[in-house]
Amino acid sequence: PADAAAVAMVMLPSMTRAGYPRPFSATLIAASASTAILIPPSVALILYSIVVPGVDLRALFAAGLFPGMLAGAALLVPAWWLARRYRWEAPENVERPPLAESFRQAIPALFAPILILGGLRSGLFTPTEAAVVAVAYGVVVGLWLTRELGWRDLWELFGEAAVISGVVMLIIALAGIFAWAGTMLGTFRHLAEWVIALSDNGTLLLVMIMLAVLVAGMLLDAISIYLILMPILIPVMQHFDWNPVWFGILLAMNIAIGQFTPPVAVNLMVTTEVARVRLEQTIGWAMVFVLAMAVALALVVVFPGIALWLPGVLGYNV
């Protein structure tokens, strides 16, 4: 949702000037923002590596790259086709900034993921330390390189980060109590046995789980879904011998779809508020992008190598 809000504030005015309808623009931005859950460094994947024992976070980060790119391409194709069909294009008098200058200005931002992933890959720092390095790098760039941050802005950002962290930690604490109670009472074990008993066909059961996670993604955030559902899904995953890295990416892709699927779509609610359009105006466009992302998800289901090839090449434990 934060990605959706930040991008919408910048892109919506430009897309509107270029002739794109506001409901379409709001939907496209909401759908695109949902792919952030797959691209490192992903908070959801970090949490998944904590909840599921024995999963290498570096393998998860590497596994999310190609599915994330595939999800982005899946959204790009219908967006391009619709723009051509309805002749949405920028007026000729719109001045475009020079490509070389724009790229030069973007270099500090583009270097951030290189710094994070390079440090993780080389073993220079842990995922937790990578977060500290990323924040420190952003502060240095904002204060002294681009000078877009002031000391007063930094203080406000610290306050906002404290509030967000407090909310996340409260969710984790309550979910931890929920997980402890469910484990001690045997509820999760009974639920897992019930799920396994539904079908001996692993493929059919996987489809059913994906549909359930999709519905959960329409109602909850990724952190809550992982903390609530994983105690139930881990025994199922182990029973059918599903690769935990591949399964984690499938869950992330499914949650991403749920974040812009009406009637309850967190990302879509954010972008429609920015665009000042009603949620019901975006339903038709949302279904187009849901279908496109579902195709990308199906490809990762059928061809696990899309997710597992890169971590295997890098020598991570998959």
Side-chain angles (χ1 to χ4, degrees):
D3 292 335
V7 175
M9 294 293 291
V10 177
M11 289 301 301
L12 267 167
S14 300
M15 294 180 73
T16 302
R17 287 195 301 269
Y20 291 86
R22 283 181 173 270
F24 172 84
S25 301
T27 309
L28 178 60
I29 294 171
S32 302
S34 71
T35 63
I37 196 176
L38 292 163
I39 306 298
S42 166
V43 176
L45 293 182
I46 292 173
L47 188 62
Y48 179 84
S49 71
I50 296 172
V51 174
V52 181
V55 176
D56 189 344
L57 177 60
R58 297 172 301 171
L60 278 172
F61 277 1
L65 283 174
F66 284 126
M69 294 168 63
L70 180 63
L75 299 175
L76 180 65
V77 170
W80 174 82
W81 182 80
L82 289 167
R84 292 291 297 272
R85 179 182 178 184
Y86 293 107
R87 300 183 183 278
W88 298 328
E89 56 187 13
E92 294 181 359
N93 60 353
V94 173
E95 183 179 353
R96 296 180 182 274
L99 179 61
E101 177 62 20
S102 300
F103 181 77
R104 186 190 66 78
Q105 294 178 3
I107 287 177
L110 294 174
F111 184 72
I114 297 176
L115 176 66
I116 295 168
L117 297 177
L120 289 173
R121 178 71 181 94
S122 64
L124 188 61
F125 41 70
T126 66
T128 303
E129 293 166 347
V132 178
V133 171
V135 170
Y137 174 75
V139 169
V140 171
V141 171
L143 285 177
W144 292 292
L145 187 60
T146 64
R147 300 184 183 277
E148 294 178 353
L149 280 179
W151 290 104
R152 180 172 296 179
D153 299 323
L154 197 60
W155 179 255
E156 293 177 356
L157 288 174
F158 283 153
E160 183 179 346
V163 171
I164 295 174
S165 300
V167 171
V168 172
M169 295 306 295
L170 181 61
I171 293 173
I172 292 176
L174 295 176
I177 296 173
F178 173 79
W180 177 83
T183 302
M184 294 299 294
L185 296 173
T187 306
F188 293 148
R189 178 173 56 82
H190 292 309
L191 284 173
E193 292 173 352
W194 175 76
V195 171
I196 294 172
L198 288 176
S199 176
D200 294 330
N201 188 323
T203 303
L204 177 60
L205 199 58
L206 180 63
V207 172
M208 294 170 63
I209 290 174
M210 292 295 104
L211 291 175
V213 174
L214 174 62
V215 174
M218 295 165 55
L219 304 172
L220 301 170
D221 62 282
I223 294 176
S224 301
I225 292 172
Y226 278 133
L227 291 175
I228 293 172
L229 292 185
M230 285 316 299
I232 303 171
L233 296 181
I234 288 175
V236 179
M237 178 178 65
Q238 294 172 342
H239 176 80
F240 288 100
D241 198 26
W242 292 333
N243 186 289
V245 174
W246 170 71
F247 188 65
I249 298 302
L250 294 184
L251 291 180
M253 293 187 74
N254 223 310
I255 294 170
I257 297 174
Q259 289 182 332
F260 65 93
T261 304
V264 182
V266 179
N267 285 5
L268 205 50
M269 286 184 176
V270 171
T271 56
T272 51
E273 181 67 23
V274 176
R276 300 187 182 278
V277 296
R278 297 191 306 274
L279 184 65
E280 55 267 27
Q281 293 178 270
T282 66
I283 292 177
W285 301 121
M287 291 300 102
V288 173
F289 295 122
V290 166
L291 180 60
M293 283 275 283
V295 171
L297 173 62
L299 287 174
V300 179
V301 170
V302 176
F303 303 106
I306 296 175
L308 299 180
W309 177 80
L310 183 58
V313 169
L314 296 176
Y316 297 139
N317 182 24
V318 293

